[in-house]
């Protein structure tokens, strides 16, 4: 049995199965990237809810694992060299899990880098822009009298959807017929944009063809459906 006692996070979230990968997360668009990935690859793991309503992400135990205070984060007892590996940032975790298991990341070098390229497109563009649109459309930002920030993020979100629409033309997934971590990284964000954020009409989502079809294909995957609900909210 692995000994994870050296990691402070295990004092707040004890590991019932310390030989399994430990996931610390919340089912947000960033959080579900990793839970979907874990469900897709079938790697045994134990999920722990990081409750933002209780400021769990600001506790010393969580910050010891991720000093940036964001979810998701993992603690893999069987990391490189057989040593425990703590890791944060969803994109880094997706790439690590893909390389660890040899799944959902092409082995061909060029296709591998093209997949990582689209992963970074999500990290640097889709996530931040969709998230800002959500803030100014649904949350506290909607009370701002100045609507220029909202207009900016609507325009940029529409542009990014246009990039996705072009890429997906004639393709089932972002890497042609191969489902990869690039798709996993974006599914939760697009779902959230038109669902929880209520921005479907705002970004003219129904004028698109490729992105809605891709989203439907992705959400139809059983592992995606499971991952979207992990960890369970109270």
């Amino acid at each position: 049995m692995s000994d994870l006692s050296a990691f402070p996070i295990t004092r707040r979230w004890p590991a019932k199965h310390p030989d399994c990968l430990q996931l610390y997360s919340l089912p947000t668009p960033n959080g579900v990237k990793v839970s979907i990935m874990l469900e897709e690859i079938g790697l045994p793991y134990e999920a722990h809810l990081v409750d933002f309503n209780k400021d769990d992400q600001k506790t010393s135990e969580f910050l010891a694992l991720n000093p940036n205070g964001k979810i998701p984060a993992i603690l893999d007892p069987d990391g490189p060299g057989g040593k425990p590996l703590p890791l944060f940032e969803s994109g880094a975790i997706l790439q690590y899990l893909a390389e660890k298991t040899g799944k959902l990341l092409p082995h061909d070098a060029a296709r591998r880098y093209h997949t990582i390229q689209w992963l970074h497109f999500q990290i640097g563009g889709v996530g931040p822009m969709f998230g800002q649109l959500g803030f100014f459309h649904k949350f506290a930002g909607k009370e701002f009298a100045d609507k220029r920030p909202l207009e900016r993020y609507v325009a940029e979100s529409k542009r990014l959807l246009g990039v996705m629409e072009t890429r997906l033309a004639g393709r089932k997934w972002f890497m042609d017929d191969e489902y990869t971590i690039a798709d996993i990284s974006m599914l939760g964000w697009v779902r959230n944009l038109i669902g929880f954020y209520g921005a479907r009409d705002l970004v003219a989502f129904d004028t698109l063809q490729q992105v809605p079809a891709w989203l439907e294909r992705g959400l139809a995957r059983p592992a995606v459906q499971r991952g979207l609900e992990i960890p369970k909210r109270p």
Side-chain angles (χ1 to χ4, degrees), residues 10-233:
T10 62
R11 295 198 290 268
R12 189 175 183 89
W13 291 276
K16 295 180 181 178
H17 307 284
D19 289 335
C20 293
L21 183 145
Q22 305 294 306
L23 169 66
Y24 309 92
S25 190
L26 184 71
T28 67
N30 271 336
V32 300
K33 293 182 202 175
V34 177
S35 52
I36 289 172
M37 179 67 175
L38 288 165
E39 289 294 317
E40 290 281 12
I41 62 180
L43 190 68
Y45 70 100
E46 183 176 353
H48 304 276
L49 179 73
V50 180
D51 193 341
F52 285 6
N53 291 326
K54 298 179 180 177
D55 285 337
D56 281 347
Q57 76 278 18
K58 299 178 182 179
T59 61
S60 60
E61 294 90 347
F62 187 79
L63 291 173
L65 180 62
N66 182 1
N68 195 34
K70 303 289 185 180
I71 58 92
I74 64 169
L75 176 55
D76 185 359
D78 184 27
K83 298 179 180 179
L85 175 72
L87 197 62
F88 64 89
E89 287 297 328
S90 58
I93 296 170
L94 287 182
Q95 188 171 342
Y96 167 70
L97 292 173
E99 292 176 350
K100 175 184 175 75
T101 61
K103 297 178 180 179
L104 301 178
L105 184 63
H107 296 291
D108 174 78
R111 287 181 58 78
R112 178 177 179 273
Y113 282 113
H114 284 153
T115 303
I116 294 171
Q117 160 187 273
W118 286 104
L119 173 62
H120 282 262
F121 166 81
Q122 183 279 308
I123 295 167
V126 169
M129 296 301 106
F130 287 12
Q132 292 291 349
L133 188 156
F135 174 79
F136 286 103
H137 178 59
K138 183 180 177 69
F139 299 109
K142 70 181 180 180
E143 305 300 332
F144 295 0
D146 186 348
K147 297 305 178 186
R148 285 175 295 180
L150 173 61
E151 292 168 358
R152 165 180 167 77
Y153 293 118
V154 168
E156 184 62 6
S157 295
K158 291 175 73 173
R159 188 191 70 80
L160 291 166
L161 287 169
V163 174
M164 297 169 70
E165 180 81 355
T166 298
R167 173 63 184 179
L168 288 166
R171 293 182 171 90
K172 184 177 181 180
W173 307 109
F174 274 83
M175 292 304 297
D176 308 310
D177 288 333
E178 188 173 3
Y179 175 77
T180 69
I181 57 175
D183 301 287
I184 290 174
S185 73
M186 288 186 250
L187 284 169
W189 277 108
V190 177
R191 173 180 178 263
N192 216 58
L193 178 70
I194 63 172
F196 184 63
Y197 290 164
R200 188 183 197 107
D201 293 338
L202 206 59
V203 298
F205 189 77
D206 293 325
T207 65
L208 304 172
Q209 295 182 351
Q210 310 302 328
V211 176
W214 162 85
L215 179 63
E216 184 177 356
R217 284 191 293 273
L219 294 180
R221 297 178 68 89
V224 173
Q225 284 299 311
R226 293 192 301 271
L228 288 171
E229 304 298 327
I230 298 172
K232 290 290 185 183
R233 294 179 183 269

